[in-house]
Amino acid sequence: MKKIFLTACCYVFFTGSFAQTSNGYQCYPTNWWVGMKMNKIQVMVHGDKVADHFPMIKMGPKGTKLATGVNLMAITRVENPNYVFLDIAIDATAKPCKFNFPFLRDITIEYELKARRKNNGKDYAQGVTSRDFIYLIMPDRFSNGDESNDRIAGMRDQSLNRDTVFNRHGGDLKGVQNHLDYLQQLGVTTIWLNPVLENDMPDRTEHGYAFTDHYKIDARLGGDKAYQELIDATHAKGMKIIQDAVYNHVGLYHITVQDLPMKDWLHQWDHYTNTTYKDQVLFDPYASKKDVKQMVDGWFTRQMPDLNQNNPFVANFLIEHAVWTVENFGIDGWRIDTYAYNDLEFMNRCNKALMDEYPQLTMFGETWVHGVPNQSYFVQNNYNISFKSNLQASTDFQTLWGISDAMTKDFGWTDGVNNLYTTLAQDYVYKDPTRQVIFLDNHDMSRFYSVVNENMDKYQSALSWLLTSRGIPEIYYGDEIATTGTTNPNDGHVRLDFPGGWKNDAVNKFTIAGRTQTDQAIYQHLATLANFRKSSSALTTGKMMQYVPADGVYVYFRYDNKQTVMVIMNTSKTEKTIHFDQFTERTGGFSKYNDVIAKTSGDMNTIAVGSYQTKVLELTK
């Protein structure tokens, strides 16, 4: 690690000269489209002293014609002669075409404008809503569908060893595609993949969060072709796909770090400066400018240089890539990594560009913070404050802390399930709390099954809450079986392989035959609720009413004019008898219930709920 950082210092902090590349020239974005609302783009051209091939020309107000309806408006040289930035305007008369950039000396650079995808918002960029159920996958650890790409010659990380959590294991996009039927049968409607962009770092590349090329899908996952095939296959099954975005930082070996376009492409410091991770300073009325700067401009880790989104060239590079990805691959939404560490004005601009182009697209940000005021600051909210975020929603860490307390702490005035109740009582601060993505764990956190010490009742209760509360439920691959793992001593232990994803695995838990009795009990519980939820108007789009928890028992309802679902969560250490007439505001007019999970029914007099068990009841007349 120390050696890697020293290498980074040579490139990032030394400003006297720049590294040279090969004689190849690359354009970013690699192409564009006609008929886009974003009809003014900035193409970054990179190659060995490419600026020397462009003459110093000042364009007129109409620029220079490249093709019908396409004009070159500006040529900008920067500190590094290996880069040049070309501003292009594309009007409504432009047609799909290829053209060469003019004025070049000794070289030819061709660029293409393509025809747009059809059915924006219907066949792609559909967005996800509370009707959906998201399944998060780390591709390297899910399934190996193509062994030919396990190692790619020339890439820095040549590890391939499933006996250690620190190396690559060989999972790929074809492996995900091979199990779409499994996911659909489970009740999943949407797949969210950990980053799929090229991550050509020396080690720990399984997670994908240190990009080295924005315009390449990692070849070890199958490359662009495998990604497009997965997306097309997912859509063909009526499912959706979410891509993981990282705007805040890149990997040390990203082309723009190894060969900086300009010094202020990155946030530069006199010596290495880490972010404080203290989100509070962004809204603290008493915060110092020093603390704000370090929070936003400090590096997330030494291996992930922090991008300067106040640099207009950086901002254009990132925003254009986001739009390009949606149009090129046809994804349905974005999960945005480390949201609080970005320049928030930049994020508003980026989000707006995406929404202008794709009105149905979904974006939710990772906001690993503590407190509803903290979390809601980063999304569309009802506050009268100077900064107003346009982000639709976040990954809801606050309800995670609430359900965790409900399952692990004794009932008290603010403790146990009262924490969950109180958290949801603060939903008034959100513009639309139903867009919040609720979850139990992820690739950075201990498995919830381990959090509750493998207590089946607690785990199934948490799953029942996940699929019946407000918001968009999301699980992490393996949550549907008895998957254990904690982040102590290393987060790799929550990123274990899905059993059966490799052809020589001793067991295959994608099948009933390969699952233990415990696995199957969890799977059946989750699949029953998830598939019930698909056709439940109350659970997907209905209103919510919750009652103040009493003696460790938390009762809430999801309802509309077609259906009423009652959820009873007992977080006490003893069985409780619940009287339906305590909740006449919602139970009135009903006489019977159907237990969604147990597949039993009964009269609405009383019902016994065991310790740490949860009942999901559909009420009938």
Side-chain angles (χ1 to χ4, degrees):
M1 200 67 72
K2 193 175 294 184
K3 181 178 180 182
I4 293 172
F5 180 57
L6 289 174
T7 302
C9 287
C10 293
Y11 286 109
V12 177
F13 298 109
F14 178 68
T15 59
S17 63
F18 294 90
Q20 300 299 306
T21 66
S22 66
N23 290 325
Y25 299 97
Q26 298 293 327
C27 292
Y28 307 92
T30 55
N31 66 275
W32 205 249
W33 295 266
V34 298
M36 300 284 282
K37 291 188 177 180
M38 185 179 284
N39 57 11
K40 294 179 180 178
I41 61 171
Q42 186 172 80
V43 178
M44 181 179 79
V45 185
H46 178 248
D48 185 25
K49 296 182 179 179
V50 67
D52 293 348
H53 296 280
F54 283 85
M56 300 287 287
I57 295 177
K58 184 176 181 180
M59 302 293 177
K62 295 184 179 180
T64 297
K65 182 177 179 179
L66 298 173
T68 301
V70 186
N71 292 287
L72 177 63
M73 305 304 295
I75 300 172
T76 304
R77 298 170 179 237
V78 291
E79 296 168 40
N80 185 345
N82 291 341
Y83 291 89
V84 67
F85 292 81
L86 310 176
D87 291 359
I88 300 173
I90 307 161
D91 69 28
T93 66
K95 304 294 182 184
C97 63
K98 294 181 180 180
F99 55 83
N100 293 326
F101 289 116
F103 314 126
L104 292 174
R105 305 185 183 111
D106 307 322
I107 63 171
T108 299
I109 298 178
E110 184 180 75
Y111 202 74
E112 182 176 10
L113 296 180
K114 298 181 179 181
R116 289 198 67 175
R117 286 178 176 269
K118 296 180 180 180
N119 299 319
N120 180 355
K122 295 181 179 179
D123 293 343
Y124 76 107
Q126 302 169 79
V128 295
T129 69
S130 56
R131 293 183 176 89
D132 288 298
F133 175 30
I134 302 173
Y135 190 92
L136 167 60
I137 296 174
M138 182 167 286
D140 183 65
R141 302 297 167 86
F142 187 65
S143 178
N144 189 346
D146 181 1
E147 293 181 348
S148 70
N149 59 35
D150 289 357
R151 285 194 179 98
I152 299 296
M155 297 196 76
R156 293 178 177 87
D157 185 357
Q158 290 292 313
S159 68
L160 186 67
N161 183 2
R162 295 179 64 201
D163 292 332
T164 172
V165 297
F166 301 109
N167 292 162
R168 296 192 69 86
H169 290 188
D172 50 37
L173 299 171
K174 184 64 175 176
V176 177
Q177 185 178 338
N178 289 345
H179 293 96
L180 289 178
D181 286 341
Y182 166 83
L183 296 174
Q184 194 164 50
Q185 290 164 10
L186 181 62
V188 170
T189 68
T190 303
I191 300 167
W192 158 24
L193 301 175
N194 288 126
V196 295
L197 300 188
E198 182 189 84
N199 185 14
D200 192 12
M201 297 285 283
D203 54 27
R204 290 308 304 273
T205 61
E206 83 283 353
H207 56 75
Y209 283 95
F211 300 167
T212 54
D213 191 327
H214 277 71
Y215 287 88
K216 288 182 182 177
I217 302 300
D218 200 299
R220 294 161 298 191
L221 299 180
D224 291 14
K225 182 174 182 291
Y227 192 42
Q228 191 65 70
E229 289 175 352
L230 170 61
I231 294 170
D232 292 345
T234 301
H235 286 162
K237 289 187 175 295
M239 301 168 71
K240 305 170 186 177
I241 195 155
I242 296 289
Q243 185 165 321
D244 217 319
V246 185
Y247 298 117
N248 180 66
H249 52 261
V250 292
L252 279 177
Y253 290 89
H254 192 278
I255 186 173
T256 61
V257 176
Q258 292 294 294
D259 194 21
L260 273 175
M262 56 202 78
K263 182 180 179 181
D264 68 348
W265 187 268
L266 304 175
H267 284 129
Q268 302 278 6
W269 299 82
D270 292 335
H271 56 275
Y272 176 75
T273 302
N274 210 86
T275 179
T276 60
Y277 308 111
K278 297 293 286 186
D279 62 286
Q280 296 93 326
V281 302
L282 300 178
F283 46 83
D284 177 5
Y286 316 114
S288 73
K289 292 180 180 179
K290 172 182 178 293
D291 286 342
V292 173
K293 179 175 175 57
Q294 187 172 351
M295 164 62 190
V296 177
D297 294 356
W299 288 24
F300 201 70
T301 73
R302 290 176 180 266
Q303 292 75 41
M304 297 176 178
D306 206 73
L307 293 171
N308 178 13
Q309 295 155 346
N310 286 314
N311 179 322
F313 297 101
V314 175
N316 289 339
F317 177 83
L318 293 172
I319 294 171
E320 288 171 359
H321 172 259
V323 174
W324 179 91
T325 299
V326 180
E327 192 68 27
N328 189 62
F329 291 111
I331 64 171
D332 298 299
W334 291 103
R335 177 267 189 182
I336 306 169
D337 186 61
T338 54
Y339 196 87
Y341 302 90
N342 292 281
D343 178 87
L344 296 181
E345 294 290 354
F346 160 79
M347 286 310 312
N348 272 0
R349 177 184 163 196
C350 185
N351 297 340
K352 183 179 185 303
L354 285 163
M355 291 304 299
D356 286 348
E357 209 74 63
Y358 311 103
Q360 302 304 313
L361 192 77
T362 291
M363 292 168 286
F364 57 93
E366 179 196 26
T367 53
W368 193 334
V369 299
H370 293 267
V372 172
N374 305 48
Q375 181 169 280
S376 56
Y377 178 80
F378 298 101
V379 303
Q380 293 174 359
N381 58 57
N382 295 318
Y383 298 135
N384 182 19
I385 53 179
S386 58
F387 171 75
K388 296 293 288 184
S389 174
N390 63 8
L391 180 67
Q392 297 161 355
S394 69
T395 49
D396 198 339
F397 280 86
Q398 309 323 302
T399 52
L400 170 61
W401 310 141
I403 189 64
S404 297
D405 278 7
M407 295 298 120
T408 61
K409 293 184 179 180
D410 291 340
F411 182 69
W413 186 253
T414 58
D415 292 332
V417 75
N418 260 327
N419 187 351
L420 178 60
Y421 164 79
T422 302
T423 297
L424 288 166
Q426 297 173 75
D427 271 359
Y428 68 91
V429 303
Y430 299 107
K431 283 289 186 185
D432 186 357
T434 69
R435 304 193 79 161
Q436 289 291 101
V437 176
I438 57 177
F439 62 106
L440 300 177
D441 53 27
N442 62 27
H443 54 283
D444 291 323
M445 311 185 79
S446 295
R447 293 276 186 174
F448 201 81
Y449 190 52
S450 291
V451 171
V452 296
N453 294 318
E454 302 176 35
N455 181 303
M456 179 68 84
D457 289 333
K458 290 182 177 183
Y459 190 56
Q460 290 184 330
S461 278
L463 290 172
S464 294
W465 166 80
L466 183 72
L467 290 164
T468 58
S469 189
R470 66 93 174 114
I472 306 171
E474 172 252 305
I475 65 169
Y476 181 41
Y477 79 97
D479 281 352
E480 71 273 28
I481 54 177
T483 304
T484 60
T486 66
T487 55
N488 184 16
N490 185 277
D491 56 14
H493 295 284
V494 302
R495 303 170 182 176
L496 303 179
D497 297 343
F498 194 106
W502 280 253
K503 67 181 183 181
N504 295 322
D505 282 356
V507 295
N508 180 6
K509 295 195 177 185
F510 287 109
T511 66
I512 295 177
R515 297 179 201 133
T516 66
Q517 186 175 357
T518 301
D519 289 330
Q520 184 58 24
I522 296 171
Y523 177 91
Q524 192 61 47
H525 182 96
L526 183 63
T528 298
L529 265 179
N531 284 291
F532 172 80
R533 187 180 186 277
K534 279 185 178 181
S535 58
S536 170
S537 60
L539 293 181
T540 54
T541 60
K543 297 178 181 179
M544 181 169 172
M545 180 179 288
Q546 61 177 355
Y547 284 76
V548 174
D551 200 18
V553 177
Y554 174 47
V555 176
Y556 60 95
F557 292 82
R558 301 296 308 279
Y559 64 99
D560 59 16
N561 58 7
K562 298 177 182 178
Q563 183 187 44
T564 294
V565 175
M566 179 180 186
V567 182
I568 309 169
M569 178 188 293
N570 177 14
T571 66
S572 72
K573 292 180 171 61
T574 59
E575 179 179 284
K576 298 292 182 181
T577 298
I578 308 302
H579 296 259
F580 285 93
D581 60 9
Q582 292 178 295
F583 311 98
T584 54
E585 192 173 352
R586 292 266 58 90
T587 59
F590 297 103
S591 61
K592 296 183 180 297
Y593 66 82
N594 294 319
D595 188 317
V596 174
I597 299 167
K599 306 292 187 184
T600 59
S601 59
D603 295 327
M604 288 176 55
N605 298 312
T606 62
I607 188 171
V609 183
S611 173
Y612 284 105
Q613 292 184 357
T614 295
K615 296 285 187 181
V616 180
L617 310 176
E618 182 179 20
L619 306 188
T620 61
K621 294 181 179 181

